[in-house]
Amino acid sequence: MAKRSKKKNPNLLSEKQRADLRHNQELDEKKRKLDIKLNITLGIVLAVTVISFLLLPALNMNFTGSLKEFLGDLIPDDKDQTMGITVDMSFIDILFAMTKGFDNSIDYIVSSNDSGMNAEILKNAFMTKVTQEEIDALDNAYIASFAISILFFVSLIALIMLTAIKRSKKKDGILLFVSVLLFSILSALQWTFFVAVGAASAGKGQIQPHISSYLILAASIALSCVYGLYRRKVKSIKADRRPVEERDGSSDRR
């Protein structure tokens, strides 16, 4: 005996059933378009974040003053010159700065600057400008930025993995939601942290988030908005689906 096909024959459906099917197909098309928009947003955000994380400085430090101000009596009055020091640190630099053998943050700054001056001379100059308490505070800021960088790196990897797994199956779940939330929180935290450190050290130099830090923050805000809108609309689509009644009285609701 031939098996009876469970697929509906459109010719046997009532007008209401056909209308319900068309309605559900329209909802499926809306869901497909939302999936495409979310995938594009995720792709752009991940690309911007990875490039910013690997290539662009996350932290920019500028120290400007006269040699006389830094070195005092070592510089004759008629030979005073202005000295500017710039240090750019990427997230990768921050992740590994503590493992490069530097005794403190000042050692890192004088060894990673663009002035071309001898690191030992610069260190002596800096030590005339900062107290041990200020060095300790900057060291603590380095430790905090180190921890933030690790957490941010972990959240980025998690977001990439879950995006590849979930979105390839056109699925959305609590793990992806948590990953997006954590990524957004840490993106805001890293920017806020650099601003706070810069404000605290304004008297000694300028420390500020670089453009990469702003890019990551902007990308996370865009992702949060698009993902939040996606979840709200998908929930609305699921609630708006119509059950299609079978001929035997049962219903088909995806």
PDB file of all heavy atoms in Angstrom, residues 41 107 203 214 222 232 236:
ATOM      1  N   THR A  41      25.900  42.928   9.806  1.00  0.00           N
ATOM      2  CA  THR A  41      26.363  43.729  10.945  1.00  0.00           C
ATOM      3  C   THR A  41      27.431  42.987  11.727  1.00  0.00           C
ATOM      4  O   THR A  41      28.469  43.571  12.099  1.00  0.00           O
ATOM      5  CB  THR A  41      25.180  44.064  11.872  1.00  0.00           C
ATOM      6  OG1 THR A  41      24.191  44.783  11.148  1.00  0.00           O
ATOM      7  CG2 THR A  41      25.650  44.920  13.053  1.00  0.00           C
ATOM      8  N   ASP A 107      59.528  52.126  32.850  1.00  0.00           N
ATOM      9  CA  ASP A 107      60.494  51.415  32.012  1.00  0.00           C
ATOM     10  C   ASP A 107      59.898  51.106  30.642  1.00  0.00           C
ATOM     11  O   ASP A 107      60.587  51.204  29.618  1.00  0.00           O
ATOM     12  CB  ASP A 107      60.929  50.112  32.682  1.00  0.00           C
ATOM     13  CG  ASP A 107      61.941  50.347  33.782  1.00  0.00           C
ATOM     14  OD1 ASP A 107      62.499  51.454  33.821  1.00  0.00           O
ATOM     15  OD2 ASP A 107      62.162  49.433  34.586  1.00  0.00           O
ATOM     16  N   GLY A 203      48.065  65.965  34.619  1.00  0.00           N
ATOM     17  CA  GLY A 203      49.141  66.867  35.027  1.00  0.00           C
ATOM     18  C   GLY A 203      50.513  66.432  34.574  1.00  0.00           C
ATOM     19  O   GLY A 203      51.442  67.230  34.550  1.00  0.00           O
ATOM     20  N   TYR A 214      37.860  54.055  19.896  1.00  0.00           N
ATOM     21  CA  TYR A 214      36.576  54.641  19.492  1.00  0.00           C
ATOM     22  C   TYR A 214      35.864  53.754  18.472  1.00  0.00           C
ATOM     23  O   TYR A 214      34.642  53.605  18.502  1.00  0.00           O
ATOM     24  CB  TYR A 214      36.796  56.036  18.898  1.00  0.00           C
ATOM     25  CG  TYR A 214      37.145  57.098  19.906  1.00  0.00           C
ATOM     26  CD1 TYR A 214      38.468  57.408  20.193  1.00  0.00           C
ATOM     27  CD2 TYR A 214      36.148  57.796  20.577  1.00  0.00           C
ATOM     28  CE1 TYR A 214      38.794  58.389  21.116  1.00  0.00           C
ATOM     29  CE2 TYR A 214      36.459  58.785  21.493  1.00  0.00           C
ATOM     30  CZ  TYR A 214      37.786  59.077  21.761  1.00  0.00           C
ATOM     31  OH  TYR A 214      38.102  60.051  22.681  1.00  0.00           O
ATOM     32  N   ALA A 222      26.700  49.748  17.592  1.00  0.00           N
ATOM     33  CA  ALA A 222      25.929  49.353  16.404  1.00  0.00           C
ATOM     34  C   ALA A 222      25.434  47.927  16.529  1.00  0.00           C
ATOM     35  O   ALA A 222      24.268  47.622  16.219  1.00  0.00           O
ATOM     36  CB  ALA A 222      26.787  49.520  15.151  1.00  0.00           C
ATOM     37  N   ARG A 232      13.874  41.517  19.043  1.00  0.00           N
ATOM     38  CA  ARG A 232      12.511  42.006  19.248  1.00  0.00           C
ATOM     39  C   ARG A 232      11.623  41.681  18.051  1.00  0.00           C
ATOM     40  O   ARG A 232      10.482  41.226  18.213  1.00  0.00           O
ATOM     41  CB  ARG A 232      12.531  43.517  19.510  1.00  0.00           C
ATOM     42  CG  ARG A 232      11.163  44.111  19.822  1.00  0.00           C
ATOM     43  CD  ARG A 232      11.291  45.555  20.238  1.00  0.00           C
ATOM     44  NE  ARG A 232      11.753  46.397  19.148  1.00  0.00           N
ATOM     45  CZ  ARG A 232      10.951  46.900  18.206  1.00  0.00           C
ATOM     46  NH1 ARG A 232       9.654  46.624  18.223  1.00  0.00           N
ATOM     47  NH2 ARG A 232      11.446  47.674  17.271  1.00  0.00           N
ATOM     48  N   SER A 236       8.415  39.052  17.658  1.00  0.00           N
ATOM     49  CA  SER A 236       7.136  39.506  17.127  1.00  0.00           C
ATOM     50  C   SER A 236       6.687  38.619  15.969  1.00  0.00           C
ATOM     51  O   SER A 236       5.492  38.289  15.850  1.00  0.00           O
ATOM     52  CB  SER A 236       7.252  40.959  16.667  1.00  0.00           C
ATOM     53  OG  SER A 236       6.061  41.400  16.062  1.00  0.00           O
TER      54      SER A 236
END
